[in-house]
Structures are given as C-alpha cells and as structure tokens.
Amino acid sequence: MIPERIRRLKPYKTETSRAKVRLSSNELPYPVPEHLRKRIAEEIARVPFERYPDPTASELKEVLGEFFGVREENIVLGNGSDELIYYLSAVVGDVGGIYTPVPTFPMYEISADVMGRKKVTVPLTADFDIDLESSLGLADMYSLAYFAFPNNPTGNLFSRDRIRKIRERGVFVVLDEAYYHYSGETFLEDALRREDTAVLRTLSKIGMAGLRVGVLIAKEEVAREINKVRLPFNITYPSQVIAKVMLTEGREFIEESVEKVVTERERVFRELATIEGVEPFPSRANFILFRTPYPADAVHSRMLSYGVLVRDVSYMPRLERCLRVSVGRPEENDAFLEALYRSVRDLGQRFAG
Ligand SMILES: *Cc1c(COP(=O)(O)O)cnc(C)c1O
C-alpha cells in the first residue's frame, strides 16, 4: 500500500561519527554564555508543560518580527525550515513540478518526492551559478523553484538576475536564506511585496539548531494560506521560551559570534589555499567547500583519524573530490587545517607509492 516514490526514498542521513572537532553541520561554534544559560533556566522553570503551547507562538513571532524587521502577519513558523519546505511543496503551485539547481540542499528534492511532485533538477554551471538557458528551456515543467541563497554546499550567491528571469516565467520562487547572517544578502523586499516570492530564514545557523525554529517570510496573503497547513503546535513550549530569550537578551552574543565566524572564514580560506593541491571555493556562508587531489572519502577518514570531522559532499554532481568544512572557533579551525595538511601529505605518499 506504500507507493513506489516513498519506497525509493532513503532515510535522511547526517554525520554521526564521533570526533573531537566537529565541523560538519554548519552550527554556530560558540557555546551560549553562562549568564544567558541562567536566564534560560529561570524561564524554563516556569513553563507549564502540562499545557499545550501557544499554537500561534505569538510572543515568539513578535520577537522574530522585530529581529528580522518584518510584521507578524508576514511570518509562518516551522519546526526548522525543513518543515516549511514540506509545507511549501505541499501548497505552492499545486500542479507542475519543483525546480532545484544541483548540487544544493537535499530537502527540496526530498519534499518533492514525498508530495509526489515531478522534480526538475538542472546542474549548476562550472562556476556554480544557475544555468539560465537550460532552466528557462524547462520552465513549462515547474511552478515552484528553490534557491539556497547562498547555496549549500557551494557557498556562493546565485545571480539575482537569473533568479528573476526564472520568476518572470510565472514560477513561485523560494529563497532559502539559512545563511543570511553570514552573507548580508536578501530578497526580503520582494517577499514582502510580491505574491510569487518567499524567503526562508532559520535560527539553526546562529546558535539555535537544537530548538528547531524556521521562519517563512511572505506577503500576508501568501503567509495566511501556508499557515493553514501548519501543524497546530509545531513549535514546542521550551523552544518558544528559549528562542525569545536568545533573540532579545542574547542578541549581542549572536551578533558578535557571527562576526567572529566571518573573520575566521576569510582566514581559513586564505590558509586552505596555501595547502598544496587544495582548492577552496569562495564562500558567503559559515562553511567552505574545497577540492583536494585525492578521493574525498579517503581524505574524510584520514582527517577523522586526526580527530576532525568534516562533510564529504563528493557524491553530489560537479563536486568530485570535494569536502565541506564549517567555520569553527579559531582553535578548531587550526586543528582542521593541520589535519587536512597532514591527511593530504599522507595520501600523497600513499598515492605516489
Ligand atoms: C542548514 C540549512 C537549513 C536549516 O534547516 P533547519 O530545518 O531550519 O535547521 C535550511 N536550508 C539550508 C540551505 C541549509 O543549509
């Protein structure tokens, strides 16, 4: 009774290997400071767990509206943006397929499979931008398009102009701005003005991955419709309470941490380029994609033996011999650079001999 498209799905896998230095999931590397933890503990102690949480999470939405500079009417909350991607794929452009450039974040394709919608995947150009000609050539086949902006795992921003040209074909475009705080680039104005554009943001990459809070921003008329399919209590009570404290009293901590990560990103990029045979790709996010001369799985396991976990993304189209590293604290980044240097040296000896 279970349809073939579901049987063919593979369970979503993340990196679970143990390692001293974990740089595989693009989390914020700085732990929440003690004074904030105390404040959160106080607030949590008051949560009446026996009650359902506020189904509209209105206090959290107010704080989020302030944080992102939008009105509450423009917001739909998800249990992570992953959940919002499911909602969008269920609701928007009912007929017609779903477009994604590849390689990109896997959830767009997974949501299309789950909802039984046709997938239109178009490989990126050699410099990881949208292949406009092929995308427009197939435009009759899709009504919804996802663009991670900046893209994961390549780290670059697609040309705005190419996204607009695809939208001009009557396609609803979703800009997944999970890394907005690291890029500073956004389609927010379009999302607030137009009925064919939505922006996704998340708290996951700015220190709150464990809370599972994703934010969809769209014109009120669009947000209202998507909100109808939202599961009623999808943001848990503790998450609502913790996110509120973090986004108000913790705002300085978040901003300072993001700034440190951006500074480190530039340093790690420069240092990567000095390792023989390693080619890093410029990034506007909190991770860096890089290519090495050797099979990525060999580099990955070698680095793990030195206590550093990164993500092997070489299974994705165009990314042969590529890995992705999240930017960590300075000492973690040093450990990463050292482990990569040694791994490349070890493998050089093995492959030469
Ligand atoms: C990490 C990431 C997300 C985050 O998803 P959450 O469910 O909010 O944790 C969304 N989109 C992209 C492109 C990402 O890289």
Side-chain angles (χ1 to χ4, degrees):
M1 300 293 270
I2 302 209
E4 194 47 37
R5 66 168 202 279
I6 302 297
R7 289 186 184 277
R8 273 201 307 266
L9 283 176
K10 296 187 194 71
Y12 187 83
K13 273 218 290 278
T14 57
E15 193 58 81
T16 50
S17 316
R18 288 164 155 277
K20 217 168 84 211
V21 176
R22 300 181 60 91
L23 298 173
S24 61
S25 293
N26 304 341
E27 296 141 335
L28 192 76
Y30 295 96
V32 173
E34 199 48 43
H35 73 274
L36 273 178
R37 288 193 180 274
K38 262 186 73 186
R39 279 287 303 122
I40 288 166
E42 283 167 18
E43 294 293 326
I44 287 289
R46 290 197 206 113
V47 171
F49 296 106
E50 66 283 9
R51 304 288 177 188
Y52 282 101
D54 171 8
T56 61
S58 62
E59 286 180 33
L60 174 57
K61 269 165 97 168
E62 195 182 321
V63 169
L64 281 165
E66 160 83 17
F67 188 73
F68 289 127
V70 300
R71 291 180 311 129
E72 286 160 64
E73 294 77 24
N74 301 115
I75 291 178
V76 183
L77 293 182
N79 194 275
S81 26
D82 290 349
E83 190 181 47
L84 293 168
I85 292 166
Y86 268 38
Y87 294 162
L88 285 161
S89 292
V91 168
V92 179
D94 173 35
V95 287
I98 293 179
Y99 168 97
T100 68
V102 288
T104 191
F105 190 55
M107 285 310 296
Y108 314 137
E109 281 196 55
I110 295 172
S111 74
D113 286 333
V114 170
M115 302 302 166
R117 294 181 66 172
K118 191 189 263 316
K119 288 181 291 189
V120 181
T121 55
V122 176
L124 295 173
T125 60
D127 60 352
F128 298 144
D129 205 345
I130 295 162
D131 179 340
L132 189 62
E133 202 178 328
S134 307
S135 303
L136 292 180
L138 298 168
D140 289 344
M141 295 174 62
Y142 55 90
S143 49
L144 170 63
Y146 287 102
F147 300 99
F149 190 77
N151 190 36
N152 177 9
T154 56
N156 61 307
L157 291 160
F158 299 135
S159 307
R160 285 173 178 271
D161 194 46
R162 296 185 192 185
I163 293 171
R164 289 199 198 99
K165 289 228 165 71
I166 290 172
R167 187 173 62 190
E168 279 166 19
R169 294 295 182 91
V171 174
F172 187 101
V173 297
V174 178
L175 287 307
D176 181 346
E177 299 179 356
Y179 301 97
Y180 163 71
H181 292 89
Y182 302 93
S183 77
E185 296 282 337
T186 182
F187 273 79
L188 194 66
E189 290 304 313
D190 281 8
L192 295 175
R193 261 198 357 252
R194 305 174 58 110
E195 294 201 12
D196 58 4
T197 306
V199 157
L200 291 176
R201 300 276 181 90
T202 177
L203 302 187
S204 295
K205 309 295 155 59
I206 53 169
M208 289 163 270
L211 300 188
R212 312 305 303 131
V213 177
V215 184
L216 180 142
I217 301 170
K219 207 170 170 203
E220 187 174 346
E221 291 80 353
V222 175
R224 194 192 306 131
E225 297 309 313
I226 297 166
N227 205 31
K228 289 179 189 167
V229 304
R230 189 178 57 85
L231 298 173
F233 304 103
N234 63 336
I235 313 295
T236 68
Y237 221 139
S239 289
Q240 293 187 31
V241 166
I242 297 169
K244 262 189 292 179
V245 176
M246 287 290 290
L247 294 173
T248 51
E249 296 166 56
R251 200 154 163 171
E252 208 174 313
F253 160 71
I254 294 169
E255 284 165 3
E256 286 173 5
S257 302
V258 166
E259 216 170 291
K260 284 192 271 190
V261 168
V262 170
T263 304
E264 277 294 285
R265 176 183 74 200
E266 300 312 311
R267 179 181 76 92
V268 173
F269 180 84
R270 286 193 304 271
E271 306 241 345
L272 271 172
T274 68
I275 301 177
E276 177 130 0
V278 171
E279 182 193 3
F281 298 94
S283 169
R284 300 294 299 272
N286 65 347
F287 57 81
I288 298 174
L289 179 77
F290 61 96
R291 181 168 278 143
T292 80
Y294 307 111
D297 56 339
V299 178
H300 182 266
S301 57
R302 198 80 211 170
M303 292 189 71
L304 206 49
S305 77
Y306 290 119
V308 176
L309 181 68
V310 296
R311 185 72 65 99
D312 177 357
V313 291
S314 62
Y315 67 92
M316 293 185 174
R318 290 215 179 289
L319 302 186
E320 48 294 325
R321 291 178 282 109
C322 285
L323 300 109
R324 188 195 71 194
V325 63
S326 312
V327 178
R329 300 191 300 273
E331 66 275 18
E332 294 177 308
N333 300 331
D334 288 341
F336 155 71
L337 288 162
E338 178 70 21
L340 178 63
Y341 173 81
R342 288 193 195 183
S343 302
V344 167
R345 186 196 56 195
D346 298 348
L347 291 167
Q349 281 162 5
R350 189 207 296 177
F351 281 87

